[in-house]
Amino acid sequence: MKCEHCTRKECSKKTKTDDQENASLDVSSPAREDGEATAAPGAVRQARVISGLRQFLKGEFHKLADAKIFLSDCLACDSCVTAEEGVQVSQQNTKDFLRVLNLNKKCDTSKHKVVAVSVCPQSLPYFAAKFSLSVTDASRRLCGFLKSLGVRFVFDTTIAADFSVLESQKEFVRRFRRHSEEEPTLPMLTSACPGWVRYAERVLGHPVTPHLCTAKSPQQIMGSLVKDYFARRQNLSPDKIFHVIVAPCYDRKLEALQEDVLTASRGSRGADCVLTSGEVAQMMEQSGLSVRDAALDTLFGDVEGQVRRHDGASPDAHLGHIFRHAAKELFNEDVGELTYRSLRNRDFQEVTLEKSGKVLLRFAAAYGFRNIQNVVLKLKKGKFPYHCVEVLACAGGCLSGRGQAQTEEGRADKALLQRMKGIYADVPVRPPETSAHVQELYQEWLDGADSPRVQEALHTARPGPGHPANSRDIKW
């Protein structure tokens, strides 16, 4: 099936599969040498839980609706996704996740994988709305469920997003100060959305890629934190950790295929498997299990308290933080609450800093590929008035990711999305600059905020000039 928006003969698309079917967990009862079954109460409880899972997973998964291709689903043409990558993406599913848990029950202890799950903050409002809970309670319910399956650690990726925001802030200030007509470094286009970055790098090429922020996405940084910092803290080699990301969209599965500098040299990817929020919610619903809630873990050996969020135009929320930092750093202006102005549509908004009738900063948020295409066309024509643009592939932002809040027909569940937005707005805001754990990691993990190791761990090199694909001129 070919997506109507592609210009090439072949099109690689993400599809919702029924790979979950026939996934199973085998559990052997612990036994003493004399043959009498024995186990600690916790082990017995976990065995019962997994036995129950075996019953519901063995052919009990309902098939997902046939895949339907929408404009915001498409990863663009075959310049974005190779056949090999398509196969690897399809292998990241609940079956793979349960396979590792199953092997931990069967194999020798020395061969066990420590299973760690990192949950994106944009996924938590979905679980909260779906199960009628607060975000904090939803995180505890999710954590309890995952640990009942045999997951060892469950993290919140907000700390990785803190790093991504802080590094994006610093990069924008550097670009602003270096910018000139001869060597333009602006606008800066944010790089937290993997769908947008893949499209820019594989399809658009120059002159767009030099404007991409080099800060890694939260998922990439979380992979480094878990497989490098946390692995060393636990005295584990990276390949002994099976790291799973729970995310709102399918593009995160594709992002996981990109090897991280810190972990690739040790034969391990930052994220071994990505599950969408919808895939995990389906497991929770069909298990019928009663589990104990549990607090999220931290990389430092304690547990999370209340879930926090960033402040901005969307749950991705890089824009507001970069804007405030730039206003203070470049113009010594303290900016309070931001007022966003919708322009072409509600997914294209701008915010400006003005003084004495002069515009000092002009930022924009462009969500969805229709708005992205308008940004690209104006950028190519040299008629682009913005200093920085937060770009997200999904119309409506990350909460609207196709991996969650979907009806059986594959359309956005608007009622659920409205509840999710209300729930997210009630989450307390924590500026990344105020995180003591982030400051601690800069020193302990990266040898200081300005060390060469920061560039290696938190930034990436963009592809050089190449031959852009013809599909960059698609009129959407």
PDB file of all heavy atoms in Angstrom, residues 12-41:
ATOM      1  N   SER A  12       7.698   3.320   2.956  1.00  0.00           N
ATOM      2  CA  SER A  12       7.805   2.602   4.221  1.00  0.00           C
ATOM      3  C   SER A  12       6.970   3.327   5.250  1.00  0.00           C
ATOM      4  O   SER A  12       7.113   4.517   5.430  1.00  0.00           O
ATOM      5  CB  SER A  12       9.264   2.556   4.689  1.00  0.00           C
ATOM      6  OG  SER A  12      10.051   1.852   3.755  1.00  0.00           O
ATOM      7  N   LYS A  13       6.068   2.595   5.920  1.00  0.00           N
ATOM      8  CA  LYS A  13       5.156   3.227   6.863  1.00  0.00           C
ATOM      9  C   LYS A  13       5.163   2.443   8.149  1.00  0.00           C
ATOM     10  O   LYS A  13       5.341   1.230   8.150  1.00  0.00           O
ATOM     11  CB  LYS A  13       3.728   3.256   6.302  1.00  0.00           C
ATOM     12  CG  LYS A  13       3.646   3.847   4.913  1.00  0.00           C
ATOM     13  CD  LYS A  13       2.320   3.552   4.280  1.00  0.00           C
ATOM     14  CE  LYS A  13       2.180   2.091   3.948  1.00  0.00           C
ATOM     15  NZ  LYS A  13       3.104   1.620   2.942  1.00  0.00           N
ATOM     16  N   LYS A  14       4.915   3.137   9.252  1.00  0.00           N
ATOM     17  CA  LYS A  14       4.728   2.414  10.483  1.00  0.00           C
ATOM     18  C   LYS A  14       3.306   1.919  10.534  1.00  0.00           C
ATOM     19  O   LYS A  14       2.375   2.609  10.149  1.00  0.00           O
ATOM     20  CB  LYS A  14       5.036   3.264  11.712  1.00  0.00           C
ATOM     21  CG  LYS A  14       4.770   4.718  11.590  1.00  0.00           C
ATOM     22  CD  LYS A  14       5.169   5.373  12.855  1.00  0.00           C
ATOM     23  CE  LYS A  14       4.530   6.719  13.021  1.00  0.00           C
ATOM     24  NZ  LYS A  14       4.754   7.582  11.896  1.00  0.00           N
ATOM     25  N   THR A  15       3.141   0.683  10.953  1.00  0.00           N
ATOM     26  CA  THR A  15       1.814   0.105  11.012  1.00  0.00           C
ATOM     27  C   THR A  15       1.607  -0.498  12.376  1.00  0.00           C
ATOM     28  O   THR A  15       2.551  -0.916  13.041  1.00  0.00           O
ATOM     29  CB  THR A  15       1.631  -1.003   9.957  1.00  0.00           C
ATOM     30  OG1 THR A  15       2.633  -1.997  10.178  1.00  0.00           O
ATOM     31  CG2 THR A  15       1.763  -0.436   8.549  1.00  0.00           C
ATOM     32  N   LYS A  16       0.355  -0.577  12.798  1.00  0.00           N
ATOM     33  CA  LYS A  16       0.015  -1.251  14.037  1.00  0.00           C
ATOM     34  C   LYS A  16      -0.092  -2.724  13.711  1.00  0.00           C
ATOM     35  O   LYS A  16      -0.866  -3.127  12.870  1.00  0.00           O
ATOM     36  CB  LYS A  16      -1.295  -0.704  14.609  1.00  0.00           C
ATOM     37  CG  LYS A  16      -1.237   0.784  14.888  1.00  0.00           C
ATOM     38  CD  LYS A  16      -2.599   1.258  15.333  1.00  0.00           C
ATOM     39  CE  LYS A  16      -2.589   2.751  15.593  1.00  0.00           C
ATOM     40  NZ  LYS A  16      -2.366   3.535  14.400  1.00  0.00           N
ATOM     41  N   THR A  17       0.712  -3.550  14.357  1.00  0.00           N
ATOM     42  CA  THR A  17       0.722  -4.964  14.047  1.00  0.00           C
ATOM     43  C   THR A  17       0.071  -5.744  15.167  1.00  0.00           C
ATOM     44  O   THR A  17      -0.179  -5.230  16.251  1.00  0.00           O
ATOM     45  CB  THR A  17       2.173  -5.473  13.879  1.00  0.00           C
ATOM     46  OG1 THR A  17       2.805  -5.417  15.150  1.00  0.00           O
ATOM     47  CG2 THR A  17       2.943  -4.604  12.889  1.00  0.00           C
ATOM     48  N   ASP A  18      -0.199  -7.020  14.895  1.00  0.00           N
ATOM     49  CA  ASP A  18      -0.712  -7.892  15.953  1.00  0.00           C
ATOM     50  C   ASP A  18       0.381  -8.864  16.382  1.00  0.00           C
ATOM     51  O   ASP A  18       0.147 -10.020  16.627  1.00  0.00           O
ATOM     52  CB  ASP A  18      -1.963  -8.640  15.502  1.00  0.00           C
ATOM     53  CG  ASP A  18      -1.746  -9.357  14.167  1.00  0.00           C
ATOM     54  OD1 ASP A  18      -0.598  -9.418  13.682  1.00  0.00           O
ATOM     55  OD2 ASP A  18      -2.741  -9.858  13.639  1.00  0.00           O
ATOM     56  N   ASP A  19       1.633  -8.329  16.469  1.00  0.00           N
ATOM     57  CA  ASP A  19       2.749  -9.146  16.921  1.00  0.00           C
ATOM     58  C   ASP A  19       2.532  -9.675  18.332  1.00  0.00           C
ATOM     59  O   ASP A  19       3.186 -10.620  18.753  1.00  0.00           O
ATOM     60  CB  ASP A  19       4.054  -8.334  16.898  1.00  0.00           C
ATOM     61  CG  ASP A  19       4.610  -8.221  15.485  1.00  0.00           C
ATOM     62  OD1 ASP A  19       4.471  -9.180  14.718  1.00  0.00           O
ATOM     63  OD2 ASP A  19       5.164  -7.154  15.180  1.00  0.00           O
ATOM     64  N   GLN A  20       1.621  -8.998  19.048  1.00  0.00           N
ATOM     65  CA  GLN A  20       1.398  -9.421  20.431  1.00  0.00           C
ATOM     66  C   GLN A  20       0.768 -10.810  20.504  1.00  0.00           C
ATOM     67  O   GLN A  20       0.839 -11.482  21.509  1.00  0.00           O
ATOM     68  CB  GLN A  20       0.478  -8.437  21.154  1.00  0.00           C
ATOM     69  CG  GLN A  20       1.103  -7.065  21.312  1.00  0.00           C
ATOM     70  CD  GLN A  20       0.718  -6.152  20.186  1.00  0.00           C
ATOM     71  OE1 GLN A  20       0.426  -6.607  19.078  1.00  0.00           O
ATOM     72  NE2 GLN A  20       0.727  -4.863  20.429  1.00  0.00           N
ATOM     73  N   GLU A  21       0.113 -11.240  19.404  1.00  0.00           N
ATOM     74  CA  GLU A  21      -0.560 -12.530  19.433  1.00  0.00           C
ATOM     75  C   GLU A  21       0.424 -13.651  19.721  1.00  0.00           C
ATOM     76  O   GLU A  21       1.541 -13.671  19.235  1.00  0.00           O
ATOM     77  CB  GLU A  21      -1.255 -12.787  18.096  1.00  0.00           C
ATOM     78  CG  GLU A  21      -2.597 -12.085  17.986  1.00  0.00           C
ATOM     79  CD  GLU A  21      -3.464 -12.752  16.946  1.00  0.00           C
ATOM     80  OE1 GLU A  21      -2.939 -13.526  16.153  1.00  0.00           O
ATOM     81  OE2 GLU A  21      -4.658 -12.505  16.947  1.00  0.00           O
ATOM     82  N   ASN A  22      -0.051 -14.610  20.482  1.00  0.00           N
ATOM     83  CA  ASN A  22       0.705 -15.808  20.764  1.00  0.00           C
ATOM     84  C   ASN A  22       1.951 -15.574  21.614  1.00  0.00           C
ATOM     85  O   ASN A  22       2.761 -16.474  21.785  1.00  0.00           O
ATOM     86  CB  ASN A  22       1.110 -16.532  19.466  1.00  0.00           C
ATOM     87  CG  ASN A  22      -0.107 -16.894  18.631  1.00  0.00           C
ATOM     88  OD1 ASN A  22      -1.124 -17.295  19.174  1.00  0.00           O
ATOM     89  ND2 ASN A  22       0.003 -16.735  17.322  1.00  0.00           N
ATOM     90  N   ALA A  23       2.149 -14.335  22.110  1.00  0.00           N
ATOM     91  CA  ALA A  23       3.249 -14.126  23.052  1.00  0.00           C
ATOM     92  C   ALA A  23       2.928 -14.889  24.327  1.00  0.00           C
ATOM     93  O   ALA A  23       1.782 -14.963  24.740  1.00  0.00           O
ATOM     94  CB  ALA A  23       3.405 -12.638  23.351  1.00  0.00           C
ATOM     95  N   SER A  24       3.914 -15.468  24.948  1.00  0.00           N
ATOM     96  CA  SER A  24       3.623 -16.247  26.151  1.00  0.00           C
ATOM     97  C   SER A  24       4.789 -16.194  27.114  1.00  0.00           C
ATOM     98  O   SER A  24       5.917 -15.948  26.738  1.00  0.00           O
ATOM     99  CB  SER A  24       3.323 -17.701  25.792  1.00  0.00           C
ATOM    100  OG  SER A  24       4.443 -18.306  25.205  1.00  0.00           O
ATOM    101  N   LEU A  25       4.474 -16.443  28.346  1.00  0.00           N
ATOM    102  CA  LEU A  25       5.493 -16.537  29.394  1.00  0.00           C
ATOM    103  C   LEU A  25       5.399 -17.922  30.021  1.00  0.00           C
ATOM    104  O   LEU A  25       4.313 -18.364  30.391  1.00  0.00           O
ATOM    105  CB  LEU A  25       5.256 -15.483  30.473  1.00  0.00           C
ATOM    106  CG  LEU A  25       5.809 -14.095  30.208  1.00  0.00           C
ATOM    107  CD1 LEU A  25       5.296 -13.156  31.280  1.00  0.00           C
ATOM    108  CD2 LEU A  25       7.314 -14.106  30.199  1.00  0.00           C
ATOM    109  N   ASP A  26       6.534 -18.608  30.133  1.00  0.00           N
ATOM    110  CA  ASP A  26       6.562 -19.904  30.786  1.00  0.00           C
ATOM    111  C   ASP A  26       7.183 -19.740  32.155  1.00  0.00           C
ATOM    112  O   ASP A  26       8.244 -19.154  32.289  1.00  0.00           O
ATOM    113  CB  ASP A  26       7.390 -20.905  29.975  1.00  0.00           C
ATOM    114  CG  ASP A  26       6.757 -21.170  28.618  1.00  0.00           C
ATOM    115  OD1 ASP A  26       5.519 -21.193  28.573  1.00  0.00           O
ATOM    116  OD2 ASP A  26       7.501 -21.345  27.630  1.00  0.00           O
ATOM    117  N   VAL A  27       6.524 -20.284  33.159  1.00  0.00           N
ATOM    118  CA  VAL A  27       7.003 -20.130  34.528  1.00  0.00           C
ATOM    119  C   VAL A  27       7.189 -21.494  35.153  1.00  0.00           C
ATOM    120  O   VAL A  27       6.269 -22.316  35.151  1.00  0.00           O
ATOM    121  CB  VAL A  27       6.002 -19.314  35.374  1.00  0.00           C
ATOM    122  CG1 VAL A  27       6.538 -19.150  36.776  1.00  0.00           C
ATOM    123  CG2 VAL A  27       5.742 -17.979  34.723  1.00  0.00           C
ATOM    124  N   SER A  28       8.350 -21.732  35.673  1.00  0.00           N
ATOM    125  CA  SER A  28       8.613 -22.980  36.386  1.00  0.00           C
ATOM    126  C   SER A  28       8.567 -22.701  37.875  1.00  0.00           C
ATOM    127  O   SER A  28       9.153 -21.740  38.343  1.00  0.00           O
ATOM    128  CB  SER A  28       9.989 -23.536  36.008  1.00  0.00           C
ATOM    129  OG  SER A  28      10.035 -23.800  34.621  1.00  0.00           O
ATOM    130  N   SER A  29       7.898 -23.559  38.615  1.00  0.00           N
ATOM    131  CA  SER A  29       7.810 -23.356  40.056  1.00  0.00           C
ATOM    132  C   SER A  29       9.158 -23.631  40.698  1.00  0.00           C
ATOM    133  O   SER A  29       9.811 -24.633  40.398  1.00  0.00           O
ATOM    134  CB  SER A  29       6.777 -24.318  40.655  1.00  0.00           C
ATOM    135  OG  SER A  29       5.509 -24.045  40.115  1.00  0.00           O
ATOM    136  N   PRO A  30       9.602 -22.757  41.598  1.00  0.00           N
ATOM    137  CA  PRO A  30      10.861 -23.009  42.301  1.00  0.00           C
ATOM    138  C   PRO A  30      10.748 -24.294  43.119  1.00  0.00           C
ATOM    139  O   PRO A  30       9.703 -24.601  43.681  1.00  0.00           O
ATOM    140  CB  PRO A  30      11.012 -21.786  43.211  1.00  0.00           C
ATOM    141  CG  PRO A  30      10.091 -20.754  42.631  1.00  0.00           C
ATOM    142  CD  PRO A  30       8.973 -21.509  42.001  1.00  0.00           C
ATOM    143  N   ALA A  31      11.819 -25.070  43.164  1.00  0.00           N
ATOM    144  CA  ALA A  31      11.766 -26.339  43.895  1.00  0.00           C
ATOM    145  C   ALA A  31      13.051 -26.565  44.663  1.00  0.00           C
ATOM    146  O   ALA A  31      14.124 -26.174  44.242  1.00  0.00           O
ATOM    147  CB  ALA A  31      11.524 -27.496  42.921  1.00  0.00           C
ATOM    148  N   ARG A  32      12.940 -27.279  45.810  1.00  0.00           N
ATOM    149  CA  ARG A  32      14.121 -27.673  46.568  1.00  0.00           C
ATOM    150  C   ARG A  32      14.647 -28.975  45.983  1.00  0.00           C
ATOM    151  O   ARG A  32      14.023 -29.628  45.153  1.00  0.00           O
ATOM    152  CB  ARG A  32      13.744 -27.888  48.036  1.00  0.00           C
ATOM    153  CG  ARG A  32      13.378 -26.610  48.751  1.00  0.00           C
ATOM    154  CD  ARG A  32      13.354 -26.858  50.244  1.00  0.00           C
ATOM    155  NE  ARG A  32      12.533 -28.017  50.634  1.00  0.00           N
ATOM    156  CZ  ARG A  32      11.659 -27.967  51.622  1.00  0.00           C
ATOM    157  NH1 ARG A  32      11.453 -26.856  52.277  1.00  0.00           N
ATOM    158  NH2 ARG A  32      10.985 -29.040  51.946  1.00  0.00           N
ATOM    159  N   GLU A  33      15.807 -29.392  46.429  1.00  0.00           N
ATOM    160  CA  GLU A  33      16.399 -30.615  45.924  1.00  0.00           C
ATOM    161  C   GLU A  33      15.537 -31.826  46.223  1.00  0.00           C
ATOM    162  O   GLU A  33      15.550 -32.814  45.503  1.00  0.00           O
ATOM    163  CB  GLU A  33      17.799 -30.820  46.529  1.00  0.00           C
ATOM    164  CG  GLU A  33      18.813 -29.801  46.004  1.00  0.00           C
ATOM    165  CD  GLU A  33      20.186 -30.045  46.566  1.00  0.00           C
ATOM    166  OE1 GLU A  33      20.345 -31.017  47.338  1.00  0.00           O
ATOM    167  OE2 GLU A  33      21.103 -29.277  46.240  1.00  0.00           O
ATOM    168  N   ASP A  34      14.750 -31.789  47.320  1.00  0.00           N
ATOM    169  CA  ASP A  34      13.924 -32.938  47.663  1.00  0.00           C
ATOM    170  C   ASP A  34      12.619 -32.961  46.866  1.00  0.00           C
ATOM    171  O   ASP A  34      11.775 -33.813  47.090  1.00  0.00           O
ATOM    172  CB  ASP A  34      13.619 -32.931  49.167  1.00  0.00           C
ATOM    173  CG  ASP A  34      12.866 -31.687  49.609  1.00  0.00           C
ATOM    174  OD1 ASP A  34      12.434 -30.891  48.741  1.00  0.00           O
ATOM    175  OD2 ASP A  34      12.696 -31.522  50.836  1.00  0.00           O
ATOM    176  N   GLY A  35      12.462 -31.985  45.949  1.00  0.00           N
ATOM    177  CA  GLY A  35      11.296 -31.990  45.082  1.00  0.00           C
ATOM    178  C   GLY A  35      10.125 -31.205  45.613  1.00  0.00           C
ATOM    179  O   GLY A  35       9.147 -31.004  44.929  1.00  0.00           O
ATOM    180  N   GLU A  36      10.171 -30.752  46.856  1.00  0.00           N
ATOM    181  CA  GLU A  36       9.052 -30.012  47.417  1.00  0.00           C
ATOM    182  C   GLU A  36       9.111 -28.568  46.959  1.00  0.00           C
ATOM    183  O   GLU A  36      10.119 -27.907  47.115  1.00  0.00           O
ATOM    184  CB  GLU A  36       9.112 -30.062  48.949  1.00  0.00           C
ATOM    185  CG  GLU A  36       7.943 -29.317  49.612  1.00  0.00           C
ATOM    186  CD  GLU A  36       8.079 -29.334  51.115  1.00  0.00           C
ATOM    187  OE1 GLU A  36       8.944 -30.062  51.624  1.00  0.00           O
ATOM    188  OE2 GLU A  36       7.319 -28.610  51.778  1.00  0.00           O
ATOM    189  N   ALA A  37       8.015 -28.106  46.397  1.00  0.00           N
ATOM    190  CA  ALA A  37       7.972 -26.720  45.909  1.00  0.00           C
ATOM    191  C   ALA A  37       8.076 -25.768  47.076  1.00  0.00           C
ATOM    192  O   ALA A  37       7.425 -25.945  48.103  1.00  0.00           O
ATOM    193  CB  ALA A  37       6.669 -26.471  45.142  1.00  0.00           C
ATOM    194  N   THR A  38       8.925 -24.764  46.932  1.00  0.00           N
ATOM    195  CA  THR A  38       9.068 -23.770  47.987  1.00  0.00           C
ATOM    196  C   THR A  38       9.523 -22.462  47.392  1.00  0.00           C
ATOM    197  O   THR A  38      10.224 -22.434  46.395  1.00  0.00           O
ATOM    198  CB  THR A  38      10.078 -24.221  49.052  1.00  0.00           C
ATOM    199  OG1 THR A  38      10.170 -23.226  50.066  1.00  0.00           O
ATOM    200  CG2 THR A  38      11.471 -24.388  48.450  1.00  0.00           C
ATOM    201  N   ALA A  39       9.111 -21.383  47.962  1.00  0.00           N
ATOM    202  CA  ALA A  39       9.542 -20.066  47.494  1.00  0.00           C
ATOM    203  C   ALA A  39       9.114 -19.044  48.508  1.00  0.00           C
ATOM    204  O   ALA A  39       8.194 -19.267  49.294  1.00  0.00           O
ATOM    205  CB  ALA A  39       8.915 -19.732  46.138  1.00  0.00           C
ATOM    206  N   ALA A  40       9.808 -17.918  48.477  1.00  0.00           N
ATOM    207  CA  ALA A  40       9.416 -16.816  49.345  1.00  0.00           C
ATOM    208  C   ALA A  40       8.059 -16.299  48.897  1.00  0.00           C
ATOM    209  O   ALA A  40       7.691 -16.446  47.735  1.00  0.00           O
ATOM    210  CB  ALA A  40      10.458 -15.713  49.264  1.00  0.00           C
ATOM    211  N   PRO A  41       7.261 -15.672  49.802  1.00  0.00           N
ATOM    212  CA  PRO A  41       5.936 -15.169  49.422  1.00  0.00           C
ATOM    213  C   PRO A  41       5.974 -14.274  48.187  1.00  0.00           C
ATOM    214  O   PRO A  41       5.109 -14.358  47.330  1.00  0.00           O
ATOM    215  CB  PRO A  41       5.503 -14.398  50.675  1.00  0.00           C
ATOM    216  CG  PRO A  41       6.239 -15.061  51.794  1.00  0.00           C
ATOM    217  CD  PRO A  41       7.542 -15.480  51.229  1.00  0.00           C
TER     218      PRO A  41
END
